[in-house]
Amino acid sequence: MPALTPEELLGIDRLLAPTDRLLADAYPGDDDTRQPVHTVYVAADRYAPALPREWGAAARDAVEAHGGMEVVALDLGVPEGFAAEVATLVTAKLASEPIEDLRLDLEDGYGDRGDETEDADVRRAAELLLEAIAGGEAPPFFGVRIKGLERATRGRGIRSLDLFLATLLAAGDLPDGLRLTLPKVTAVAQVEAMARLCDRLEQHHGLAAGRLRFEMQVETPQIVLAADGTSPLAAAIHAAQGRVSGLHYGTYDYSAALGIAPACQSMDHPAADHAKNVMQVAAAQTGVRLSDGSTNILPVGDADAVRAAWRLSARLTRRSLERGFFQGWDLHPAQLVPRFVANALFYREGFAPAVARLRAYVDRVEGAILDEPATARALAAFVSRGVACGAITEDELTDAAGLDLAALAALAHPPHATTEGHA
């Protein structure tokens, strides 16, 4: 017979009840919604509904100018055994969905043009987005990056956010896929202020509580390490009470603030890795998504310059994927090429081993690798990402794993997930 009485066990439950609530509320884990592989930034005044189609066409033209997609794929390090299928997938992607996530920029990529001009550009951009949605030309995800909540730009950033949302809401409900981005975050208080703004805007417009969420840009040293020697990132996520949807690394603002020489500023600099490691731990199991930054080495100029820039982008994208950053920024149409090539190869190379391990896990077949439930969730999430970005087809999933998307989602996000041992 057990020595502990029911009353003693109940006392343990009472002792741990606050911890149970914290884990359930603050660390819900990732949901099964799609995460885009990139965010494309364009100045808000340069947006038109045809922009995704134009970027896809420009990327395809760049490929044709350099020998065709299969030649480009091989040059980017795709093994011969994968080159034809990667080329086919990327060509189709550039035609059907060249931009997954579009951010209309009112910050660094836009500048200070005065209130009258920015007001007009905000309204026009929102109206054109509505036109794109109605015409089926909008990307799956889209939104706006406002100016930050520092003293010098605070009023302008808030005004643009207010106008942007009001213009969208004048046509009805907020569209699905909307994203808001807050740059230059330096302190938890700014995140709390943004959360309060979202709450007030919801009340004014009759939106459901929590409808407005936002991404934080991690591009200042102060949000990585505060004056008291602690890291504010985790506190910022939790202070927003579920409104922070993502952490996006800002390569060049962060590097410059650390005094790194411009020629050495890069997504793979050790200082960048430190910041992103902190981001990763702060966001772990919170449901907050991570995005790497961008490279400012654009694929323009002569053939050698374009190919060198493509190789750099492909290497950096692969590096980010391997480190658990499944999203990044693109700033030029031709950057779509190495982005999609690197993603297609990453998921196709890993697909067969991943589904073999999943089948062994589901069927409880012993093999050379004994996967725990946590690893099975990671394997299922990996395959889900590959399907979502078009690197793996649903038919391939069914044929190879005997799973459909619903079964895959159940493996990736099981109820009452445990961390050790088979459930």
Side-chain angles (χ1 to χ4, degrees):
M1 291 291 293
L4 296 176
T5 67
E7 289 76 15
E8 288 173 313
L9 295 176
L10 185 59
I12 296 296
D13 282 340
R14 291 195 188 101
L15 176 67
L16 292 177
T19 298
D20 295 339
R21 287 193 297 271
L22 172 67
L23 293 174
D25 295 342
Y27 299 96
D30 193 32
D31 59 25
D32 60 355
T33 59
R34 176 183 177 185
Q35 180 180 6
V37 302
H38 68 170
T39 301
V40 165
Y41 272 81
V42 297
D45 64 312
R46 293 173 49 206
Y47 172 67
L51 185 139
R53 182 165 21 96
E54 292 169 351
W55 272 50
R60 295 195 303 274
D61 288 346
V63 168
E64 289 308 309
H66 291 84
M69 188 63 77
E70 191 164 343
V71 170
V72 170
L74 289 167
D75 188 64
L76 294 181
V78 177
E80 287 190 12
F82 287 97
E85 59 193 50
V86 166
T88 298
L89 287 166
V90 174
T91 299
K93 180 75 170 179
L94 290 172
S96 64
E97 195 180 62
I99 296 178
E100 294 193 8
D101 184 24
L102 176 65
R103 202 66 72 250
L104 307 181
D105 193 11
L106 293 164
E107 203 230 356
D108 284 351
Y110 178 85
D112 183 357
R113 308 188 188 190
D115 287 341
E116 183 176 349
T117 298
E118 184 161 336
D119 282 355
D121 286 340
V122 168
R123 291 192 183 95
R124 175 183 169 278
E127 289 166 355
L128 289 174
L129 265 178
L130 291 169
E131 181 182 320
I133 294 166
E137 291 194 286
F141 307 97
F142 48 81
V144 66
R145 175 170 74 168
I146 63 172
K147 291 177 172 65
L149 295 184
E150 297 170 304
R151 181 186 296 274
T153 56
R154 184 183 306 149
R156 182 63 256 180
I158 293 171
R159 180 176 177 85
S160 290
L161 174 62
D162 197 351
L163 285 173
F164 183 75
L165 294 174
T167 305
L168 292 179
L169 286 163
D173 292 337
L174 283 182
D176 293 335
L178 179 67
R179 298 289 188 270
L180 307 175
T181 305
L182 178 66
K184 304 289 191 296
V185 177
T186 57
V188 174
Q190 291 171 334
V191 178
E192 292 174 322
M194 184 67 173
R196 182 179 298 181
L197 283 171
C198 289
D199 178 70
R200 296 298 297 151
L201 287 164
E202 287 167 352
Q203 293 181 40
H204 279 297
H205 292 294
L207 299 171
R211 174 66 179 83
L212 297 177
R213 305 180 71 206
F214 57 94
E215 303 160 341
M216 288 172 52
Q217 283 197 244
V218 179
E219 52 186 343
T220 70
Q222 293 84 1
I223 199 63
V224 175
L225 188 68
D228 63 0
T230 64
S231 175
L233 268 177
I237 290 172
H238 299 294
Q241 298 182 330
R243 291 195 185 272
V244 173
S245 60
L247 300 180
H248 286 221
Y249 177 66
T251 309
Y252 298 99
D253 282 68
Y254 188 79
S255 299
L258 294 183
I260 296 169
C264 301
Q265 295 174 4
S266 174
M267 292 161 58
D268 59 354
H269 191 283
D273 284 341
H274 171 259
K276 287 182 284 188
N277 288 341
V278 176
M279 289 167 57
Q280 198 164 33
V281 175
Q285 299 183 328
T286 64
V288 173
R289 265 76 182 271
L290 300 170
S291 175
D292 211 332
S294 63
T295 174
N296 61 1
I297 309 300
L298 302 182
V300 297
D302 61 26
D304 288 343
V306 171
R307 289 181 181 274
W310 273 347
R311 292 185 198 113
L312 174 65
S313 290
R315 179 179 67 79
L316 292 173
T317 300
R318 177 67 181 229
R319 186 178 189 273
S320 297
L321 290 168
E322 290 175 351
R323 284 157 175 76
F325 281 72
F326 301 108
Q327 186 175 350
W329 296 4
D330 290 322
L331 309 175
H332 187 277
Q335 286 184 321
L336 303 179
V337 177
R339 171 79 59 194
F340 293 152
V341 167
N343 272 270
L345 179 62
F346 178 71
Y347 290 110
R348 295 200 72 78
E349 280 185 324
F351 177 60
V355 294
R357 290 171 65 179
L358 274 176
R359 293 196 70 156
Y361 176 84
V362 170
D363 297 339
R364 296 187 178 274
V365 175
E366 292 189 8
I369 302 175
L370 178 62
D371 285 320
E372 300 288 348
T375 307
R377 293 196 297 273
L379 289 165
F382 170 85
V383 176
S384 294
R385 290 181 184 278
V387 173
C389 75
I392 300 164
T393 68
E394 293 184 37
D395 287 344
E396 286 177 317
L397 171 64
T398 303
D399 291 344
L403 300 170
D404 58 17
L405 290 179
L408 191 65
L411 283 168
H413 308 284
H416 313 299
T418 58
T419 57
E420 293 296 336
H422 286 265

